[in-house]
Structure formats: structure tokens, C-alpha cells
Amino acid sequence: EAGVTQSPTHLIKTRGQQATLRCSPISGHTSVYWYQQALGLGLQFLLWYDEGEERNRGNFPPRFSGRQFPNYSSELNVNALELEDSALYLCASSWDRGSDTQYFGPGTRLTVL
Amino acid sequence: GENVEQHPSTLSVQEGDSAVIKCTYSDSASNYFPWYKQELGKGPQLIIDIRSNVGEKKDQRIAVTLNKTAKHFSLHITETQPEDSAVYFCAASNTGDYKLSFGAGTTVTVRA
């Protein structure tokens, strides 16, 4: 069974630009979660999507947004990039409408110059 | 919100010895406690989890214990092997929230 996949692996942007990160959940999983792993800040919850809707949001500004498509894949968009947005962005998926048991993908390394 | 503290931040053990990592949490409503292993360049891998209605869970060489009264839980790795070298994260959440709050991580090095 394929795990959670994310693309691209690496992304380099400049300050002020927009970044789009993509995630495909494990087959059969309907919930997608996004986390940010920044150096020195650990893993922080960003967003949870289920059945195409945003269900929960962490303490991040509105320029972090996303969506979930009918096939349950998801996009994370980060607008007006700032240097401190440089981090590993991890996507996780779970069964049903939200579940604590979350399985992570390999992440997208975003570097903002 | 939930605050999870993890100790130690680094741990070096001799191959074959045991390793213990401890975490404390602040929110008494938390009822799910997973542990993840993250190797260099990879995403976190779920290795074991425990729910608040269980005090201990074991899976081969790894075990997790939970003390709800003291609000702490621990990961135990026995007979450590070089492939156990990685960063380990504890986390906590409560059902309905589905937001994992993570500890800061423990870098485990197993010396051959």
C-alpha cells in the first residue's frame, strides 16, 4: 500500500512570492493534516481538512491556506512568503472524519530567500 | 492549548542497552499519545501509540507507559540496535480535536 505522497520534494522561493505544496493521502483516507517543522520550533499543527472542508486550524496567519479536492488530495498555499516560513511542511492522513492516528508523508522542504 | 515537554533532548546508548524517553503533558483532556520516529530526510513514522484507557502497551522491543494522574508517558526501547538511531517525538491529542501537539524531540544515537 502506498503511503502519503507529497510534491515537490524541495521548493525555493523568494520573499513575497507564493508557494503551493501538494499532498496525496493514503488510499481510503479522507482526512488530511498539515504540519510545519521549522528549525527550533518543532512540529506545529497548521490545518486539518476533511470531506473538502477546513475543520481545524493552528495558530498561523491567514496567508497559510489550503483546500481539499474531491479525491481527498490537498494543497497548502502560503502567500506573501517570509523568511521564517522556511521549514519542512509535512502532510499526514487518517481514516474517516478525523482521527488521532495520523500517518505522515516525507515532507516538502520550503526555502525562502 | 496542550503543552508537551520531552526529555532528554539527546540520548546516547551502547548497542544492546535500553533507551527511555519521557514526556509530560498539560491538558488533562488529552487521551491519545503516539510516538513517532523520524530518520534523516524522512517524515515521522508512527511506531507505537497508547490511549488513556490503557496503562501500558508493548510491540516487540518498544513499549509505552502512561501515568494519567501524573500526566506523563514514556517510550522504552530495549536491546537497542544501530537502526534505532533517529529523532523520536512524543505527541498528545484529545478526541474531537485531532490536532497533535508534539514534544521537541529526542535525538537517539546507538553506539556500535
Side-chain angles (χ1 to χ4, degrees), chain A residues 53-75:
Chain A
E53 292 190 22
E54 182 181 302
R55 302 292 184 184
N56 200 357
R57 180 179 190 89
N59 294 327
F60 283 86
R63 58 190 186 83
F64 286 85
S65 65
R67 54 181 174 166
Q68 186 179 32
F69 300 99
N71 66 353
Y72 304 112
S73 67
S74 176
E75 260 182 16

Side-chain angles (χ1 to χ4, degrees), chain B residues 4-97:
Chain B
V4 178
E5 294 191 357
Q6 184 172 346
H7 300 279
S9 56
T10 61
L11 181 59
S12 180
V13 296
Q14 191 69 36
E15 183 177 357
D17 286 351
S18 295
V20 180
I21 304 170
K22 298 180 179 181
C23 289
T24 60
Y25 61 98
S26 61
D27 188 352
S28 56
S30 289
N31 56 9
Y32 175 68
F33 308 93
W35 286 88
Y36 288 87
K37 173 184 180 183
Q38 187 173 26
E39 296 173 288
L40 204 61
K42 297 185 178 180
Q45 175 196 1
L46 178 66
I47 57 172
I48 196 167
D49 56 11
I50 192 168
R51 297 194 181 271
S52 59
N53 57 346
V54 175
E56 184 174 354
K57 185 176 178 181
K58 191 174 181 180
D59 182 5
Q60 299 183 330
R61 295 187 297 108
I62 59 173
V64 58
T65 59
L66 171 65
N67 183 326
K68 282 180 60 179
T69 304
K71 288 193 274 187
H72 68 70
F73 56 113
S74 300
L75 177 72
H76 304 253
I77 306 173
T78 58
E79 300 172 22
T80 53
Q81 301 167 5
E83 51 264 40
D84 294 329
S85 296
V87 180
Y88 292 81
F89 291 95
C90 63
S93 75
N94 67 71
T95 302
D97 189 274

Side-chain angles (χ1 to χ4, degrees), chain A:
Chain A
E1 178 185 274
V4 176
T5 58
Q6 292 186 244
S7 63
T9 305
H10 295 93
L11 191 56
I12 300 175
K13 294 285 185 179
T14 55
R15 219 169 20 169
Q17 285 188 316
Q18 179 197 39
T20 299
L21 290 65
R22 297 179 177 84
C23 170
S24 291
I26 292 171
S27 179
H29 286 192
T30 60
S31 278
V32 170
Y33 311 80
W34 288 95
Y35 291 82
Q36 182 195 65
Q37 188 173 27
L39 203 61
L41 294 177
L43 278 143
Q44 294 184 288
F45 169 78
L46 255 169
L47 292 158
W48 165 31
Y49 289 95
D50 182 80
E51 296 292 342
E53 292 190 22
E54 182 181 302
R55 302 292 184 184
N56 200 357
R57 180 179 190 89
N59 294 327
F60 283 86
R63 58 190 186 83
F64 286 85
S65 65
R67 54 181 174 166
Q68 186 179 32
F69 300 99
N71 66 353
Y72 304 112
S73 67
S74 176
E75 260 182 16
L76 174 69
N77 295 295
V78 187
N79 293 321
L81 284 165
E82 300 178 1
L83 296 178
E84 50 265 36
D85 295 334
S86 294
L88 181 68
Y89 288 84
L90 293 159
C91 173
S93 71
S94 73
W95 294 103
D96 300 325
R97 185 176 175 149
S99 169
D100 332 77
T101 309
Q102 300 173 20
Y103 300 90
F104 284 83
T108 292
R109 173 72 61 186
L110 173 64
T111 302
V112 182
L113 303 175

